[in-house]
Amino acid sequence: MKITVITLFPEMFRGVFEFGPVKIAREKGLVDINFLNLKDFAETPKDVDDYPYGGGAGMVIKPEPIKKSLVAAGEGVRVLTTPKGRPFTQEIANTLSKEDHLIIFCGRYKGIDERVRDMFDYEISIGDYVLSGGEIPAMVIVDSVVRLLPGATSDVTSVLTDSYQSGILSEPQYTRPRVFEGKEVPEVLLSGNHKAIERFRRKEALRTTLLKRPDLLFKVKLSNEDLRLIVEILKEGGKDR
Ligand code: ADE
């Protein structure tokens, strides 16, 4: 997979792609990440942005450098990062991870000239808050997409069992020591009974989701067994932090 990031601040990305699965994926040649500096596509560095017609605060990125940079990036799926975009989800990350060439344009200032908006395939927001620019959202998108590439993580099943990958949050995890400050690891996890462990994990994943993100339960297909587990959880009560 190839990823091209178009940004006014390529230096911001220094370091972030040099750790973990993204580093591994780059080293294995699974992904090739390149940067284009938007300034290089303006007549002068001052020609990147301008005042909005009609007045108002902030600057708008001019259409010409946007178009030129997208053309220079070549064929690919074009993503614009903007707080006005559709909320980024694991499902979108999965879809993007199957593309050959991802072009991510980092928005800035008040946004981009409306007349080039139709040059993009996706407009993505990473959450209902405003950041200073689209660079951090681009890092978020690259990280979540690249870790899905086969070979980027040593453990494929770990990626497949991540929160959101199945539509719900993942269950709590425990490692050694067996007792920490008087708190014991749930007995069933030490039982070696795989069926019982699987049922426990599913129930705890459902409990976590019910307590923290009940909205997700309306979007996934739940089995009859899931519904039974949810009834058990509701009978047990409990609240979230
Ligand atoms: N640019 C500024 N804020 C943003 C957000 N929340 N998501 C994507 N791009 C942005």
Side-chain angles (χ1 to χ4, degrees):
M1 167 183 237
K2 186 175 163 189
I3 298 179
T4 303
V5 179
I6 305 173
T7 168
L8 278 168
F9 303 110
E11 309 81 31
M12 275 182 78
F13 293 81
R14 208 176 286 147
V16 283
F17 298 149
E18 282 160 32
F19 299 90
V22 181
K23 179 188 181 189
I24 295 171
R26 293 178 85 185
E27 284 174 354
K28 287 187 176 174
L30 303 173
V31 66
D32 178 20
I33 306 177
N34 301 284
F35 297 92
L36 292 179
N37 193 327
L38 189 60
K39 286 194 190 88
D40 296 339
F41 299 92
E43 292 287 319
T44 73
K46 279 191 178 157
D47 288 319
V48 169
D49 57 339
D50 211 333
Y51 295 101
Y53 273 117
M59 301 290 269
V60 177
I61 306 184
K62 289 163 73 72
E64 299 94 331
I66 297 174
K67 169 146 192 207
K68 282 186 188 157
S69 65
L70 288 173
V71 169
E75 285 283 305
V77 167
R78 296 164 171 173
V79 176
L80 170 68
T81 56
T82 162
K84 292 193 268 187
R86 78 159 120 142
F88 192 50
T89 59
Q90 188 65 35
E91 198 181 341
I92 301 177
N94 282 327
T95 305
L96 296 181
S97 74
K98 296 185 182 100
E99 296 294 342
D100 290 331
H101 185 192
L102 209 56
I103 301 161
I104 306 178
F105 186 99
C106 304
R108 274 265 147 189
Y109 310 106
K110 283 307 271 183
I112 65 165
D113 190 291
E114 182 70 14
R115 292 164 294 178
V116 283
R117 218 161 55 81
D118 60 4
M119 295 189 75
F120 292 92
D121 301 296
Y122 290 85
E123 292 182 25
I124 291 179
S125 162
I126 63 159
D128 293 345
Y129 42 81
V130 179
L131 296 161
S132 308
E135 281 74 15
I136 292 171
M139 293 172 199
V140 169
I141 295 168
V142 170
D143 188 276
S144 60
V145 166
V146 171
R147 65 191 300 284
L148 294 172
L149 299 177
T153 51
S154 48
D155 188 352
V156 176
T157 49
S158 170
V159 167
L160 294 178
T161 55
D162 279 342
S163 283
Y164 295 107
Q165 197 60 263
S166 65
I168 65 171
L169 302 180
S170 60
E171 72 284 2
Q173 299 292 329
Y174 301 87
T175 186
R176 274 177 282 204
R178 191 169 164 170
V179 183
F180 175 71
E181 295 187 345
K183 294 177 184 164
E184 299 213 13
V185 170
E187 196 63 41
V188 60
L189 295 177
L190 312 168
S191 68
N193 180 340
H194 296 297
K195 243 189 132 72
I197 291 174
E198 203 181 302
R199 185 179 193 277
F200 173 82
R201 287 196 161 141
R202 184 70 188 172
K203 182 171 172 182
E204 295 315 307
L206 288 166
R207 189 194 310 276
T208 304
T209 311
L210 193 63
L211 292 176
K212 293 176 189 281
R213 291 292 308 276
D215 55 301
L216 296 176
L217 294 174
F218 291 100
K219 297 182 200 154
V220 287
K221 226 174 131 37
L222 297 170
S223 65
N224 287 338
E225 173 67 1
D226 286 336
L227 296 175
R228 269 194 293 278
L229 291 172
I230 288 173
V231 170
E232 278 183 32
I233 294 164
L234 291 173
K235 281 187 186 155
E236 290 161 14
K239 54 182 182 330
D240 187 32
R241 220 170 281 135

